[in-house]
Amino acid sequence: QIAAISGIPGCARTIRSALKSTGLVNRRGKRKLEIRPENRAARVRWCRQFADLDEDDFENWVFSDESSIARLFPGVQVRTWMDPADANNAVYLLPKAQNGGGKIMVWGLFSVHGPGPLLFIENSMEGTLYNQILRRTVIPYLESLARAHGTDFVFVDDNASPHRANANYSLLYDV
């Protein structure tokens, strides 16, 4: 592939040898989440819808998100070309633990008024669990903000599939 792209004749072994002769060594590349074109277009449309808003317009918006955090670097292999003298440089070393080190999932709310509740999730986020979070955490929090600031609040989540379960969708629109 490199020969076809570069227009330089030669087999893979010749090209690898040429790269090595410059002092580079081969390492695996990092992984990146791929966003499908239709999802990218939907994100751009959403952003453009609110592009004319200024900071004051977000006074009554509350955002939520969840994240799964590895306690240590997950066990993926990372390869990159580097100078061999840098092989033990801390930049290229990945922490390692027996049994992978585990992970923690957290879910939280935030707004211009500051952070809201932060929950630790034991398993994966599913529709029924999200419904409990809406009933026990989100709705009471939005009601307390409305009382404190004298206005209703807009709740924004990231549109993940557990958030779109029918029961959760109707619960949010009934509030």
Side-chain angles (χ1 to χ4, degrees), residues 12-55:
R13 174 179 267 167
T14 303
I15 293 171
R16 278 194 301 271
S17 295
L19 287 170
K20 285 180 182 179
S21 72
T22 66
L24 299 176
V25 294
N26 187 336
R27 301 285 188 259
R28 288 190 192 270
K30 294 182 179 181
R31 296 186 181 268
K32 176 184 168 283
L33 181 64
E34 194 65 36
I35 299 173
R36 294 189 324 225
E38 59 270 21
N39 290 344
R40 184 182 308 273
R43 289 178 182 192
V44 169
R45 279 193 307 276
W46 189 89
C47 291
R48 286 185 178 146
Q49 180 182 352
F50 301 104
D52 294 332
L53 299 181
D54 62 20
E55 191 174 308

Side-chain angles (χ1 to χ4, degrees), residues 91-105:
V91 172
Y92 300 109
L93 299 178
L94 303 175
K96 183 178 177 181
Q98 289 180 326
N99 302 320
K103 68 178 183 174
I104 300 168
M105 179 178 269

